[in-house]
Amino acid sequence: MPAIIHCDVAIVGGGLAGGLIALALRRKHPTLDVRLIEGGRSIGGNHLWSFFASDVAPADRWLVAPLISYGWTSYDVHFPAHARTLKAPYYSIESDRFDQVVRAAMPEGAVMTRRKVLGASARAVVLADGDRIEAGGVIDCRGPADLSKLELGWQKFVGRELALAEPHALKRPVIMDATVAQIDGYRFMYALPFAATRLFLEDTYYSDTPEIDAAAYTQRIDAWASARGIVVERVMREEAGSLPIPLGGDFEEYWKSGGNRVAKAGMRAGLFQPVTGYSLPDAVRLAGLIGNARDLSGAALHDLTYGHARKAWRQRGFYRMLSAMLFRAAEPGERYRVLERFYRLDAGLVARFYSGQSSLFDRARVLAGKPPVPVKRALAAIRGSSK
């Protein structure tokens, strides 16, 4: 017989946003009955999330500290006419560790995996097996809503974690190696040295389309490794994804498309950095806000998450404008020049940019001088992004 499950807060979707909210509520409201509902087998899926230390406010560091798998003190970027090492702490979180930490923190029965959700309202969740969850408040974290409401470019990638036959020579992460052939937009390789004989390599594209040619991408990963004398013993794990990069669109309609008057987090709330596609800084910030909230009713959670997401959207017009310039003003094979110019700027400016905290001076500095794209097309892109 179908069951009715009662709880204080139901979190729908056990990805990064949902898992962080569950951890925050467990820490700040330990007596609440919180349920984390995920259709897959694990919390966090099959992902690697990376972030800079400056992406997370000091008050929220407790939330991510137990999740970190790897860390470095600096990173490299490589472009055809510019290479640089930047000093900035950089960290990575593995989804396996994320799953373990969330499960360990939550009471027995609170993490509900392999439970497909048919629908969610502000105070109820309907499961495919007929069970129903009735909650004081529901937060929907099931991934993007109707992306047709937004004007988008795409950051798409295939990543591989590799076991090596011999130690590699990388001293620190390579966040962008854009010296590779520019194919399907702005392309770069991303490399994280986990250990002497463990390496994560990702082939990444800022493309006009979300389609992924996995076979071609993995061949290019292999070619990059081979050119550097990296001898691969076996592939330990592989992931792929297409992240939306918003250039403009209707935030209000996008929010409603994910469930009107329902609290939302993560991509479903439109919370991702409009240039980098990063979602972790936003996920941490919102989890911290929810953890500190006193009223966790469905209506209050909606107002909290909607207000936070709407404010973030309004504040990020500058970043959407830059993405519009990247995708609309630059020829696909020349897009790397925009990032090459950007990475000549001050290291502090770069850090604030990634965290979405650029100052007015930072913004002026980014736009100063002759743009690395045709001026007329740049102006047209700016006008388009302001709609």
Side-chain angles (χ1 to χ4, degrees):
M1 291 288 293
I4 296 179
I5 302 167
H6 296 274
C7 64
D8 294 307
V9 178
I11 303 166
V12 185
L16 178 66
L20 287 171
I21 292 169
L23 289 174
L25 287 174
R26 181 61 177 164
R27 173 73 171 268
K28 300 291 186 175
H29 303 272
T31 62
L32 284 185
D33 184 353
V34 177
R35 303 300 176 100
L36 180 59
I37 307 140
E38 166 58 37
R41 296 181 178 182
S42 62
I43 301 303
N46 174 35
H47 293 289
L48 181 76
W49 300 283
S50 296
F51 65 100
F52 296 99
S54 57
D55 291 344
V56 177
D60 294 329
R61 287 175 185 166
W62 64 269
L63 186 55
V64 296
L67 305 171
I68 294 171
S69 302
Y70 308 101
W72 303 269
T73 59
S74 58
Y75 67 96
D76 290 340
V77 293
H78 301 289
F79 294 91
H82 177 64
R84 184 181 183 187
T85 298
L86 292 94
K87 292 183 179 180
Y90 191 66
Y91 303 104
S92 290
I93 295 172
E94 294 175 306
S95 54
D96 284 352
R97 182 173 179 83
F98 186 71
D99 178 81
Q100 293 167 8
V101 171
V102 172
R103 289 181 187 274
M106 302 298 288
E108 184 177 355
V111 177
M112 302 169 61
T113 53
R114 302 188 185 185
R115 304 297 297 271
K116 183 179 179 181
V117 173
L118 293 183
S121 67
R123 297 190 60 183
V125 181
V126 179
L127 303 178
D129 60 9
D131 287 355
R132 177 183 175 91
I133 298 173
E134 294 187 353
V138 173
I139 307 169
D140 197 341
C141 313
R142 285 179 292 170
D146 184 357
L147 292 173
S148 70
K149 306 297 183 182
L150 304 178
E151 300 169 35
L152 300 172
W154 298 90
Q155 185 195 122
K156 55 191 184 183
F157 60 90
V158 168
R160 284 183 144 186
E161 184 176 345
L162 306 171
L164 309 181
E166 303 171 1
H168 60 78
L170 294 181
K171 297 180 179 179
R172 60 189 70 88
V174 179
I175 301 299
M176 289 184 179
D177 179 3
T179 63
V180 296
Q182 295 300 293
I183 301 166
D184 192 15
Y186 170 48
R187 175 184 172 229
F188 61 91
M189 285 294 301
Y190 173 76
L192 299 177
F194 289 163
T197 56
R198 281 186 65 201
L199 191 62
F200 181 80
L201 298 181
E202 185 178 282
D203 192 25
T204 305
Y205 302 74
Y206 274 67
S207 172
D208 297 324
T209 65
E211 288 75 27
I212 292 174
D213 186 343
Y217 293 12
T218 54
Q219 288 177 2
R220 291 166 192 160
I221 290 172
D222 291 342
W224 190 90
S226 178
R228 287 152 184 79
I230 296 170
V231 182
V232 178
E233 187 175 80
R234 61 188 175 92
V235 177
M236 300 177 66
R237 189 182 66 84
E238 185 171 292
E239 65 175 286
S242 293
L243 304 178
I245 303 294
L247 316 181
D250 190 327
F251 170 79
E252 297 295 338
E253 289 301 313
Y254 179 77
W255 178 272
K256 292 177 184 177
S257 74
N260 194 24
R261 303 300 303 175
V262 179
K264 291 178 274 291
M267 293 182 67
R268 201 171 192 85
L271 289 171
F272 38 89
Q273 218 271 21
V275 178
T276 65
Y278 274 29
S279 60
L280 186 142
D282 277 320
V284 172
R285 289 185 199 114
L286 185 54
L289 284 175
I290 293 172
N292 289 325
R294 293 186 177 183
D295 188 347
L296 297 172
S297 65
L301 284 170
H302 170 269
D303 292 347
L304 174 65
T305 58
Y306 168 69
H308 176 75
R310 180 180 61 177
K311 181 179 178 181
W313 179 269
R314 289 177 174 176
Q315 290 177 335
R316 291 175 179 176
F318 170 74
Y319 299 101
R320 293 194 297 276
M321 176 192 69
L322 294 181
S323 286
M325 290 178 64
L326 179 67
F327 281 91
R328 294 171 176 160
E331 293 293 337
E334 299 294 311
R335 288 176 183 168
Y336 77 91
R337 297 184 185 277
V338 176
L339 279 299
E340 184 176 68
R341 178 178 181 272
F342 171 76
Y343 267 103
R344 294 181 184 272
L345 301 175
D346 176 74
L349 181 153
V350 172
R352 290 187 293 274
F353 182 91
Y354 269 100
S355 64
Q357 304 294 316
S358 298
S359 67
L360 289 175
F361 178 80
D362 291 341
R363 299 178 186 208
R365 185 69 186 88
V366 169
L367 297 174
K370 182 180 178 181
V373 295
V375 174
K376 288 185 178 180
R377 294 179 66 174
L379 292 174
I382 291 171
R383 287 193 294 270
S385 70
S386 64
K387 293 181 180 179

